């Protein structure tokens, strides 16, 4: 006789992907993402994700973050669970990240930040 397992089934993550935007602003004059219009990138991404119907449980979450410690590449965003770091400059770059990576799972290589770039 088969006895059902009482171990719970593995639940998928609440979101399929998270994208975190560094919005940190340094008051001491050091380089930071806020000085490179990171807020505008965050807002554009949030709007594009919503417009594409990608927002919500089981899909994509767009989050604000404090310093991600990669200031030299700013502005920066990182997509999880893949751990792909991006540097972007304008709305078109954000649109490419949303369409290619967040929607279709394809990394936007031209925006990928080199691993050695830090603070």
């Amino acid at each position: 006789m088969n006895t059902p397992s009482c171990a719970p089934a593995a639940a998928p993550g609440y979101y399929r992907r998270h994208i975190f935007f560094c919005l940190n602003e340094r008051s001491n004059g050091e380089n930071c993402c806020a000085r490179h219009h990171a807020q505008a990138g965050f807002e554009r991404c949030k709007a594009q994700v919503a417009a594409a119907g990608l927002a919500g449980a089981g899909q994509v979450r767009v989050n604000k973050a404090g310093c991600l410690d990669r200031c030299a590449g700013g502005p920066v965003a990182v997509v999880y669970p893949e751990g792909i770091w991006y540097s972007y400059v304008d709305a078109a770059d954000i649109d490419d990240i949303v369409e290619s990576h967040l929607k279709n799972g394809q990394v936007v290589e031209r925006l990928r930040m080199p691993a050695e770039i830090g603070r």
Side-chain angles (χ1 to χ4, degrees):
M1 170 156 91
N2 277 339
T3 306
S5 170
C6 37
Y14 192 74
Y15 293 107
R16 181 171 44 100
R17 287 194 176 88
H18 277 87
I19 183 167
F20 293 90
F21 283 82
C22 177
L23 300 181
N24 192 54
E25 184 169 9
R26 297 188 185 281
S27 59
N28 63 3
E30 286 184 51
N31 196 21
C32 64
C33 290
R35 288 197 182 96
H36 297 285
H37 311 290
Q39 182 69 39
F42 166 78
E43 290 171 5
R44 175 69 180 203
C45 186
K46 197 159 182 74
Q48 292 299 94
V49 163
L54 299 174
Q59 297 189 79
V60 175
R61 175 74 182 173
V62 181
N63 287 93
K64 297 177 183 180
C67 185
L68 295 173
D69 213 25
R70 304 216 46 206
C71 312
V76 301
V78 59
V79 177
Y80 287 107
E82 297 94 334
I84 302 297
W85 289 82
Y86 290 113
S87 183
Y88 56 92
V89 295
D90 57 24
D93 289 348
I94 297 298
D95 294 351
D96 285 349
I97 293 168
V98 171
E99 182 64 27
S100 184
H101 194 153
L102 301 180
K103 184 176 182 181
N104 296 313
Q106 299 298 312
V107 174
V108 184
E109 291 297 335
R110 72 177 182 81
L111 299 175
R112 198 166 182 181
M113 197 160 84
E116 67 276 3
I117 294 179
R119 192 163 173 198

